Amino acid sequence: MGKSNIAKWIEENQEKFTKMAKDIWDHPEVGYTEIYASTLQMKELEEAGFRVTSGIGDVQTSFVAEYGKGKPVIGILGEFDALPGLSQKVNPKQTPVIQNGPGHGCGHNLLGTAGVEAVIALKERMDAEMLPGTIRYYGCPAEEMLSGKTFMAREGVFDDLSCALTWHPGNNNMTSNFRSQALTAIEFFFSGRTSHAGGAPHLGRSALDAVELMNVGANYLREHVPDGSRIHYQITNGGMAPNIVPDNASVYYFLRGAGRDQVAELEERLNKVAQGAAMMTETSVRWEIKAGCYDTLPNETLNELMYTQAEVAGRMEFSSEEKKFAEELRETVDPSVLAAANEIIFSISDDTNKILETDFYHNRKHFGQTMGGSTDVGDVSWIVPMGQIMTTCAPLGIQFHTWQATASFGSTIGMKGMHYAAKIMALSAYELLKDQSGILERAKVEFDASTKGLTYKCGIPTRVKPPVLNSEAVPVMSN
Ligand SMILES: [Zn+2]
């Protein structure tokens, strides 16, 4: 009975949340600048009776909204940041709203809004049944910069949770049973001595030479790192003109690996490469850690719960217009990319003719397998047991972080996937508030076994403060 009321409440109130997700999609803000989105969500939650605390750990756009009291404490994670350069209309041809402007190419307009929708639906049920326990929505900024949740975790805001639930917009309906990669993001700054490049090159000590030699060293290092590790870089400052020996230059590295230990070892070795490059060029080097997130630990107990609640929530359906839009979007992607994309995202349907996935799968097949990307959701999964799903918000074969994805996540396809995810999270949290079959305890036993007794240690040193950015001065970065 309680469950059908939750589903009914979401169906009756979904228009409000469609509007919120569209509003955030219409006002895309990159990481740490999400004033519009976080204000909008905080206002809605405050009006619904939640206690809201913002600015966690000096992250301006972070917040926690809480309702109820006592145990269990169930957290739902939300995000709302956009990506640079992915501005796009809901149109199957590349048509930016603003040339080179930001856009929601990862669907975080849906991600956060589904969480708000789920906790408000749940709150209605808690009131009606006088259920004990606490529910929280976490407004987490800058996921694309891989650090919003890490800064929040450093403040301990996830520590007292019984468990966390989250989701990500996807091309599939399924439990997220894979592991993401741990990551450290470091920028290296070299300083040398400027000089006239033609008139007095012998007096100069080029910081750019140091950057280039560091990159050569890093490329040799690649052969001798564990399989599956990733090293990528971008030169963030290469000097101003060829005829000026640059006294300052910088390079930004991402290091990825199967776990924090592996990444920490890569970091140590890369630091030696940087020092070697500085020595060769008679320059000096310093570095700053920008992000340090964990791999994601899947929790089979919680994912199983979410799978059973997806069955309760029912099956998705798409209209003929939505199918047509999906087909048109897919036509803009090379067939080889379409085919490969399904592999990358661990699609498990065997039906290659499918365009929009409506079945929900429990993805046991890929349990614990590592996928290429990274996310700060990983940090939360090392602090408390965490369940995670994906729902269909885009056609199969459409890759995230593309203009096609922005178009999907602003369309009714994205909105349907969002309401579906909200339902599954609300139903799962409702089940956990009652917890008649000891799910939380089993989830914790599994969590203890998979963390092998290792406790979470924040990957960003205490001296590193969260960035305070305005939308004009934002580094281009994404996961
Ligand atoms: Zn994302």
Side-chain angles (χ1 to χ4, degrees):
M1 189 59 193
K3 284 190 184 168
S4 54
N5 283 326
I6 288 176
K8 197 163 154 257
W9 190 94
I10 289 182
E11 278 147 30
E12 286 172 0
N13 292 277
Q14 62 183 26
E15 206 39 52
K16 190 199 294 189
F17 300 100
T18 299
K19 242 180 100 210
M20 179 187 277
K22 199 71 210 309
D23 203 358
I24 297 173
W25 189 90
D26 282 332
H27 296 89
E29 301 161 301
V30 295
Y32 296 112
T33 70
E34 314 96 326
I35 307 278
Y36 189 90
S38 60
T39 309
L40 190 70
Q41 294 193 346
M42 283 193 281
K43 192 167 162 276
E44 190 68 43
L45 287 154
E46 251 160 7
E47 277 169 17
F50 281 71
R51 304 179 289 275
V52 177
T53 315
S54 61
I56 317 288
D58 291 334
V59 182
Q60 285 169 308
T61 49
S62 71
F63 67 94
V64 179
E66 184 180 82
Y67 189 79
K69 64 169 194 270
K71 291 209 174 279
V73 189
I74 312 295
I76 291 184
L77 311 179
E79 297 163 9
F80 29 63
D81 59 325
L83 286 152
L86 290 184
S87 176
Q88 168 67 24
K89 293 180 182 161
V90 179
N91 190 325
K93 279 198 191 78
Q94 189 167 15
T95 40
V97 182
I98 297 170
Q99 196 67 40
N100 299 321
H104 274 286
C106 206
H108 296 183
N109 60 312
L110 308 170
L111 205 167
T113 306
V116 176
E117 187 173 6
V119 292
I120 299 180
L122 202 54
K123 179 242 161 197
E124 297 293 323
R125 233 26 250 156
M126 288 169 81
D127 286 350
E129 294 183 34
M130 291 192 294
L131 282 177
T134 309
I135 51 167
R136 276 190 206 145
Y137 170 79
Y138 288 84
C140 307
E143 190 279 336
E144 295 296 349
M145 292 175 174
L146 300 149
S147 55
K149 291 181 201 66
T150 314
F151 284 117
M152 291 172 80
R154 198 165 73 178
E155 295 301 305
V157 291
F158 303 108
D159 294 358
D160 65 337
L161 284 177
S162 309
C163 77
L165 301 177
T166 193
W167 78 295
H168 200 288
N171 319 77
N172 272 278
N173 295 305
M174 64 181 182
T175 49
S176 296
N177 277 9
F178 37 78
R179 280 175 99 125
S180 59
Q181 287 193 305
L183 169 142
T184 290
I186 332 174
E187 191 164 3
F188 293 86
F189 300 89
F190 289 89
S191 303
R193 192 164 70 214
T194 189
S195 184
H196 191 297
H202 58 293
L203 299 180
R205 298 292 180 266
S206 168
L208 179 61
D209 288 357
V211 162
E212 292 195 79
L213 287 164
M214 173 174 181
N215 294 345
V216 170
N219 288 327
Y220 274 96
L221 179 67
R222 278 180 208 284
E223 189 188 344
H224 310 288
V225 297
D227 278 353
S229 308
R230 295 273 191 279
I231 303 174
H232 11 258
Y233 58 77
Q234 173 206 4
I235 296 178
T236 43
N237 175 11
M240 301 295 279
N243 57 359
I244 304 171
V245 174
D247 52 352
N248 287 299
S250 53
V251 58
Y252 191 11
Y253 272 81
F254 275 17
L255 302 171
R256 306 188 203 241
R260 283 284 338 140
D261 289 354
Q262 205 179 88
V263 173
E265 198 184 307
L266 282 181
E267 191 185 318
E268 213 173 291
R269 295 174 72 191
L270 187 67
N271 292 348
K272 287 180 189 162
V273 172
Q275 285 165 322
M279 191 185 279
M280 278 192 277
T281 51
E282 295 175 70
T283 59
S284 63
V285 64
R286 65 178 180 86
W287 50 85
E288 274 175 23
I289 293 181
K290 299 287 175 83
C293 63
Y294 275 66
D295 47 309
T296 308
L297 279 185
N299 190 287
E300 173 66 10
T301 312
L302 292 173
N303 286 355
E304 176 78 39
L305 165 73
M306 294 181 93
Y307 172 65
T308 56
Q309 299 315 305
E311 289 196 318
V312 175
R315 209 159 172 268
M316 290 186 84
E317 276 173 36
F318 292 101
S319 66
S320 51
E321 293 88 75
E322 285 162 345
K323 285 178 192 155
K324 185 170 164 271
F325 182 63
E327 190 76 83
E328 286 169 347
L329 271 180
R330 279 167 56 93
E331 277 164 15
T332 66
V333 181
D334 189 272
S336 65
V337 175
L338 281 181
N342 285 351
E343 276 296 302
I344 295 167
I345 56 148
F346 292 145
S347 174
I348 54 173
S349 169
D350 297 327
D351 183 355
T352 49
N353 294 318
K354 266 191 191 168
I355 296 167
L356 285 167
E357 183 62 81
T358 50
D359 294 327
F360 197 105
Y361 301 91
H362 188 19
N363 194 0
R364 289 191 183 88
K365 193 168 130 190
H366 296 109
F367 190 87
Q369 277 186 32
T370 301
M371 50 90 92
S374 307
T375 172
D376 58 10
V377 170
D379 286 56
V380 182
S381 78
W382 274 83
I383 300 170
V384 290
M386 192 191 76
Q388 192 180 6
I389 54 160
M390 280 193 172
T391 66
T392 299
C393 296
L396 281 156
I398 297 297
Q399 294 201 59
F400 303 169
H401 297 201
T402 60
W403 66 262
Q404 291 93 339
T406 307
S408 298
F409 298 142
S411 76
T412 56
I413 298 171
M415 302 301 155
K416 277 190 180 170
M418 174 183 80
H419 299 306
Y420 190 44
K423 250 187 214 177
I424 299 167
M425 289 193 292
L427 292 169
S428 304
Y430 175 73
E431 192 72 20
L432 291 168
L433 284 174
K434 297 188 141 189
D435 201 14
Q436 284 153 340
S437 53
I439 302 167
L440 285 171
E441 202 182 310
R442 277 186 281 125
K444 178 72 168 67
V445 169
E446 184 187 336
F447 171 81
D448 289 341
S450 45
T451 52
K452 298 187 181 83
L454 293 172
T455 47
Y456 175 79
K457 198 171 146 269
C458 184
I460 302 180
T462 330
R463 66 185 148 76
V464 179
K465 299 285 169 242
V468 180
L469 299 175
N470 60 55
S471 48
E472 274 86 54
V474 175
V476 178
M477 179 173 171
S478 74
N479 64 353

